[in-house]
Amino acid sequence: MEVEQLKAVSKNVRKDILTMLTEAGSGHPGGSLSAVELLVELYFNQMKFNPDNTTDPGRDYFILSKGHACPVLYSVLSQLKCVDNKELCTLRKPGSRLQGHPAKDKNLPGIEVSTGSLGYGLSIGVGVALGIKSRQGANRVYVMMGDGEQQEGSIWEAAMSAGHLKLDNLCAIVDYNNLQIDGKISDVMGVEPLADKYRAFGWHTVEIDGHDFKQISKAYAEAKSTKSRPTMILARTIKGKGVSFMENNVDWHGKVPSKEQRDMALKELEK
Amino acid sequence: MVEVLGKKATRFGFGEGLLELGKKNPKVFALGADTAASVALNIFAEAFPERFVNVGVAEQNMMGVAAGLAVAGWIPYAATYGVFAAGRPWEQIRTTICYSNLNVKIGGSHSGVMVGPDGATHQALEEIAIMRCLPNMTVIVPCDMVETKKATMEASRIDGPVYIRYGRESVPIITSEKTPFKIGRAEVLTEGKDVAIMACGTMVYEALVAAEALESKGIGARVVNVHTIKPIDEKTIADAARECGAVVTAEEHQIHGGFGSAVAEVLVKNAPVPVEMVGIMDVFGESGNPADLMKHFKLKDTDIVRAVEKVLKRK
Ligand SMILES: Cc1ncc(C[n+]2csc(CCOP(=O)(O)OP(=O)(O)O)c2C)c(N)n1
Ligand SMILES: [Mg+2]
């Protein structure tokens, strides 16, 4: 898919995110909006993923370690017709397959594993990548994490094992939006220098603008061609990207727009 | 009518209690894990920034650091959502905090299905079980905001680990400053001789409403607020069971290993009467609004009434 089309899809995904979160009345817009381009490029251009057969053994795997950002994933899955667009408005409602955090037991196509407790996705990714290697498979594994999430110790146990096991079929992405719940990452508990840390653990690292499709696709390609090492894409992003009153504003981590704010946001996206 | 004195989330009882305690006791220190505002730690943090540390999204580290602060002579209060306060750092709590009997207080917020739309990952339903099995640990599940405040302050008098379980959602206030509260002592709220309803946390209110409905049916229910799950008040529980001859337990928590199990342990030893348990029936939570979820998981006053009717048939 060409950049212009990717941008059009991204715009729709952002609209979905705002619409579904407003409808749900709770949830996490900031970290959903920051990850849009990273996921759109991944699902539309990079991953082996068949929307009609999401459990195909030949598929690439995606794990949303920062599970609270699931609206972006649900929307991408609906753009791919895995999920009916109408179902998006059931987000966070009783009995919905679109739980507040991705729920494996609800059998939504494309959800590999339940997540939402931070710090677990990279270990799961290491396990999937190791499992694929152990059966000489060619599939790839993608794990998306938050930058605040990097504070969890379990991430570093996983990072160590991925480097040690030379899992070059594993590509991790950090949605580096500089914010967590309680404020700026650098004020709460700094994680820098992140690239150096991953390199020290045996990873190949790439630093990009996480809203620039050219850079994103180049980074994924670089991950595919990197041998004997896992790749970490540190994607500089803007929390709340696309909605000016949400951008870089920590208040929009876990707060949803009112109907008026949603309409303002949708209008801005149309510009 | 059950006397309701207002409505407020129990987390604010923890926050206000900690603030008051901080003013009185210069040794109180607080730790947060990137959820400081939502678990009401910010009230203390703003008043005493020099006695507060936010460790980030790093709950295992938080418990280790709290342990170290206790070793250095402070009285640390570490708090976050219950799943991440009790579950994630469980072995740090077990081996570092409880085994050394360190003076660490743990605030487990966001308990129960009333967490609502965040769903199963964030609804703590197992902490009573996994905290009460630990030697040296005291476990308190206050019934409302006022009692949570008292529990938070009283916990500082215990020289050892204490787990306080509280919630995110607004719930009725059913106790006042004057209501007696002593860690380890259950409070009998209504006199009755037909059935004893033992409840903790949010279910105390539901039990009181159930008792009213039962009264109109001619059934006298003795509602007991068992806010301290460990050490449990064996005498009050056994006396109530003996005098009433049947017991219903009620908790917003898994049915296995939790509060009902703790009561049953007392009863099998002292007063083996029929027991029915109201709680989460060995399933995970779901997204939804808090009130709907309480109904969906059968945690309402009406469910307690049904359990009473069932247990009375076994008397
Ligand atoms: C183990 C765990 N602790 C705490 C939380 C609560 N929580 C949800 S999102 C979040 C902040 C995450 O920040 P970041 O990783 O930077 O995510 P983003 O900015 O992309 O939303 C926290 C602490 C959680 N989900 N899991
Ligand atoms: Mg972030």
Side-chain angles (χ1 to χ4, degrees):
Chain A
M1 207 180 245
E2 296 301 315
V3 170
E4 283 317 305
Q5 285 169 289
L6 293 168
K7 282 187 179 165
V9 173
S10 299
K11 191 200 270 187
N12 288 334
V13 170
R14 286 204 162 85
K15 286 187 194 164
D16 281 348
I17 291 171
L18 294 162
T19 307
M20 66 202 287
L21 282 170
T22 307
E23 183 65 34
S26 68
H28 303 86
S32 300
L33 292 167
S34 57
V36 173
E37 283 80 9
L38 293 162
L39 277 203
V40 168
E41 169 65 21
L42 186 62
Y43 272 90
F44 282 83
N45 279 346
Q46 303 288 339
M47 275 205 328
K48 263 186 274 160
F49 180 79
N50 178 358
D52 298 321
N53 183 9
T54 56
T55 55
D56 183 339
R59 73 189 180 282
D60 290 342
Y61 292 76
F62 175 73
I63 293 153
L64 185 65
S65 190
K66 43 170 260 183
H68 60 278
C70 55
V72 62
L73 178 59
Y74 296 152
S75 169
V76 168
L77 291 173
S78 101
Q79 297 291 327
L80 288 163
K81 310 275 179 271
C82 278
V83 183
D84 193 286
N85 194 265
K86 284 207 195 84
E87 193 176 344
L88 294 183
C89 65
T90 68
L91 174 71
R92 292 179 160 243
K93 299 269 157 71
S96 173
R97 298 195 295 175
L98 280 60
Q99 291 285 297
H101 293 80
K104 167 89 165 157
D105 67 329
K106 294 289 182 284
N107 298 317
L108 188 75
I111 304 299
E112 301 282 2
V113 61
S114 299
T115 52
S117 186
L118 294 169
Y120 289 157
L122 195 57
S123 294
I124 301 168
V126 168
V128 178
L130 180 63
I132 290 164
K133 285 231 173 218
S134 302
R135 59 170 157 84
Q136 280 82 45
N139 339 33
R140 297 186 56 74
V141 183
Y142 296 91
V143 177
M144 172 170 281
M145 297 178 284
D147 46 0
E149 189 183 5
Q150 301 304 302
Q151 294 158 348
E152 284 287 359
S154 53
I155 297 277
W156 299 97
E157 298 178 20
M160 180 165 28
S161 55
H164 179 84
L165 296 167
K166 302 187 171 31
L167 297 175
D168 53 15
N169 55 346
L170 176 66
C171 173
I173 307 123
V174 168
D175 179 358
Y176 209 151
N177 57 29
N178 295 310
L179 294 174
Q180 53 190 117
I181 299 182
D182 284 346
K184 280 192 196 156
I185 310 277
S186 53
D187 291 338
V188 176
M189 185 55 62
V191 298
E192 278 296 317
L194 206 48
D196 287 346
K197 284 181 181 141
Y198 276 99
R199 275 197 290 273
F201 278 67
W203 289 61
H204 175 62
T205 60
V206 197
E207 292 178 74
I208 59 164
D209 172 345
H211 300 301
D212 179 325
F213 280 111
K214 283 217 178 83
Q215 293 187 37
I216 298 170
S217 88
K218 204 165 151 249
Y220 286 132
E222 202 175 308
K224 282 182 190 166
S225 61
T226 299
K227 295 295 163 220
S228 310
R229 269 182 302 169
T231 294
M232 167 57 69
I233 300 175
L234 296 176
R236 296 283 176 180
T237 57
I238 293 169
K239 202 157 177 168
K241 171 77 176 176
V243 180
S244 52
F245 61 87
M246 291 186 180
E247 286 189 358
N248 290 317
N249 184 344
V250 73
D251 293 344
W252 291 98
H253 170 84
K255 181 177 84 174
V256 298
S258 65
K259 291 206 168 72
E260 295 73 46
Q261 288 169 321
R262 174 201 58 196
D263 292 344
M264 261 164 61
L266 292 178
K267 216 181 207 172
E268 186 182 342
L269 286 169
E270 267 319 319
K271 267 193 231 149
Chain B
M1 277 290 280
V2 177
E3 202 184 341
V4 174
L5 307 166
K7 228 182 156 195
K8 206 165 179 183
T10 47
R11 55 183 162 147
F12 298 114
F14 179 83
E16 288 177 21
L18 196 57
L19 175 67
E20 218 167 298
L21 192 61
K23 288 180 189 158
K24 287 188 186 145
N25 190 334
K27 285 203 214 161
V28 170
F29 204 108
L31 299 94
D34 196 32
T35 56
S38 46
V39 305
L41 272 173
N42 58 331
I43 305 172
F44 180 95
E46 278 156 25
F48 305 107
E50 69 291 347
R51 284 193 268 151
F52 173 75
V53 65
N54 193 332
V55 299
V57 200
E59 298 81 6
Q60 298 182 71
N61 189 41
M62 175 161 75
M63 291 309 166
V65 173
L69 283 162
V71 169
W74 296 88
I75 306 174
Y77 277 67
T80 184
Y81 307 167
V83 174
F84 314 131
R88 172 71 56 102
W90 183 82
E91 209 251 342
Q92 277 89 349
I93 296 172
R94 172 194 179 268
T95 305
T96 307
I97 294 173
C98 290
Y99 185 35
S100 298
N101 198 20
L102 294 177
N103 199 12
V104 175
K105 318 301 169 193
I106 302 168
S109 182
H110 291 53
S111 61
V113 291
M114 275 209 238
V115 166
D118 270 344
T121 51
H122 286 53
Q123 294 164 354
L125 296 173
E126 302 83 11
E127 332 89 280
I128 297 177
I130 63 176
M131 289 293 109
R132 80 179 185 91
C133 66
L134 295 170
N136 293 332
M137 181 66 94
T138 296
V139 181
I140 311 175
V141 184
C143 68
D144 66 8
M145 185 262 174
V146 173
E147 195 167 86
T148 308
K149 185 172 172 186
K150 291 179 194 165
T152 304
M153 296 181 68
E154 283 299 306
S156 69
R157 296 177 191 273
I158 294 175
D159 185 17
V162 178
Y163 187 89
I164 306 166
R165 183 186 201 240
Y166 57 98
R168 170 185 195 281
E169 184 66 11
S170 263
V171 291
I173 297 175
I174 50 175
T175 66
S176 72
E177 294 298 334
K178 290 192 205 96
T179 311
F181 176 82
K182 189 166 178 287
I183 292 175
R185 195 181 70 202
E187 295 297 333
V188 176
L189 302 184
T190 63
E191 295 299 338
K193 288 213 159 24
D194 299 320
V195 64
I197 306 174
M198 316 270 177
C200 66
T202 49
M203 297 305 284
V204 175
Y205 172 73
E206 301 296 333
L208 287 171
V209 178
E212 276 189 345
L214 289 165
E215 198 183 344
S216 67
K217 296 184 185 197
I219 300 167
R222 183 178 307 184
V223 175
V224 186
N225 173 12
V226 189
H227 50 66
T228 308
I229 315 259
K230 191 185 182 187
I232 201 158
D233 183 347
E234 299 213 3
K235 183 168 185 316
T236 303
I237 291 172
D239 286 352
R242 263 187 232 109
E243 285 160 32
C244 299
V247 168
V248 166
T249 64
E251 66 199 295
E252 198 188 338
H253 181 275
Q254 297 289 359
I255 207 76
H256 292 143
F259 169 66
S261 302
V263 170
E265 287 161 16
V266 174
L267 297 182
V268 288
K269 279 188 292 179
N270 301 289
V273 301
V275 180
E276 288 293 329
M277 297 184 188
V278 172
I280 301 285
M281 295 296 167
D282 199 22
V283 291
F284 281 101
E286 284 239 13
S287 291
N289 80 49
D292 289 345
L293 291 173
M294 289 294 277
K295 279 196 197 120
H296 176 81
F297 288 102
K298 301 199 172 7
L299 299 170
K300 292 299 294 176
D301 54 318
T302 46
D303 301 301
I304 296 176
V305 168
R306 262 191 289 278
V308 165
E309 286 165 350
K310 203 167 159 197
V311 84
L312 287 179
K313 289 195 190 122
R314 296 172 49 203
K315 222 167 150 176

